[in-house]
Amino acid sequence: MTDHQDDLISEADQADARTIWAFHQMGHELQPCSAAITLGSLDLGVAATTADLYHAGMFPVVVFTGDTSDATKERFPRGEAVHYREHAISLGVPDEAILLEPKATNTGQNIGFSREVLERAGIAVSTMLLISMPYMQRRAYATCRKLWPEVQPVCVSQPLSFDEYVSTHDHEKQLIDMLMGDMERVMEYPKRGFAIEQHVPERVRDTFNRLRAHGYDTWLLPA
């Protein structure tokens, strides 16, 4: 792996990262849904987006889901879902509109465990707002369609470009690594039965391979 510093990331690598970023966006039209699932991550902006969408009347109840991971254990030591819930409440989301799922450690569990929480609460779901980091949209969609095919997911995130999102992070290299990790999972997880198959254009595969060859591989799957 090439040891990149953020200030050495080439314009070509940044352009390739924008291609991967754009592919992760599902482009769904925002609409009111039966419920929402907010996928825990290291980005507290996802919880803020959830609050905005609640106040806009996009859903009556939300499940915050997520334990901790290597990426989040220092920032969210009590669990992603717990910290997200507290932030959403501070932004005016009523506690009675929130359900908590604090055990999930991967996207499949995020969806599966959240489904169980909603079923136990007696909430009928036909459409689901999936709220995530921008580069998690496609993987979240594919996972939901695999594990909960009866529900129509609508994916939404903070409406930020790659460059805008980079400006909110300390390490651009790490962010590109994470884009790559999600990209690989979009391609590989259907083979493992974790997600539905999605068409990946050849230019996107070529972009992925170039970035991998340039050392953006920290978050790729173990060999």
Side-chain angles (χ1 to χ4, degrees):
M1 171 180 161
T2 305
D3 184 15
H4 287 272
Q5 298 296 324
D6 284 353
D7 60 353
L8 297 179
I9 293 175
S10 70
E11 291 184 5
D13 286 351
Q14 289 176 329
D16 280 344
R18 292 186 191 101
T19 297
I20 299 293
W21 175 272
F23 182 71
H24 283 311
Q25 314 295 306
M26 294 300 298
H28 289 164
E29 181 178 352
L30 182 62
Q31 58 182 282
C33 291
S34 308
I37 295 175
T38 297
L39 304 177
S41 68
L42 51 76
D43 184 357
L44 203 57
V46 181
T49 299
T50 300
D52 291 341
L53 293 168
Y54 175 80
H55 294 308
M58 291 297 107
F59 58 85
V61 61
V62 58
V63 181
F64 286 113
T65 170
D67 194 352
T68 57
S69 67
D70 289 342
T72 63
K73 61 187 177 184
E74 291 186 6
R75 186 170 189 187
F76 302 137
R78 289 176 291 116
E80 298 153 9
V82 171
H83 286 268
Y84 271 30
R85 170 186 170 273
E86 292 172 352
H87 191 56
I89 288 174
S90 77
L91 295 174
V93 179
D95 196 23
E96 57 267 26
I98 297 173
L99 298 172
L100 202 63
E101 189 297 294
K103 297 180 180 179
T105 58
N106 58 58
T107 307
Q109 291 180 355
N110 287 141
I111 301 299
F113 293 173
S114 294
R115 178 180 184 174
E116 293 172 3
V117 167
L118 288 162
E119 289 174 347
R120 285 198 298 270
I123 297 170
V125 178
S126 59
T127 54
M128 175 61 65
L129 205 63
L130 289 180
I131 309 170
S132 69
M133 295 184 294
Y135 61 85
M136 273 193 73
Q137 280 193 26
R138 188 169 291 278
R139 180 155 65 98
Y141 172 82
T143 305
C144 187
R145 293 298 294 155
K146 180 68 176 182
L147 298 181
W148 202 352
E150 303 87 355
V151 164
Q152 180 59 48
V154 177
C155 297
V156 64
S157 304
Q158 291 173 285
L160 298 175
S161 69
F162 171 77
D163 295 282
E164 290 169 333
Y165 203 74
V166 165
S167 72
T168 70
H169 285 68
D170 294 330
H171 303 290
E172 184 175 0
K173 166 62 168 60
Q174 181 187 61
L175 176 58
I176 298 175
D177 283 338
M178 295 175 114
L179 297 182
M180 290 286 287
D182 268 64
M183 186 68 243
E184 186 178 42
R185 285 157 177 80
V186 166
M187 295 187 292
E188 293 298 322
Y189 274 5
K191 303 171 188 176
R192 306 184 186 191
F194 299 157
I196 63 164
E197 188 80 40
Q198 298 179 88
H199 173 66
V200 180
E202 198 63 33
R203 64 177 181 81
V204 176
R205 291 183 183 274
D206 290 344
T207 298
F208 173 85
N209 289 332
R210 275 196 303 273
L211 287 173
R212 180 172 57 187
H214 291 176
Y216 298 93
D217 57 7
T218 303
W219 288 87
L220 298 184
L221 294 166

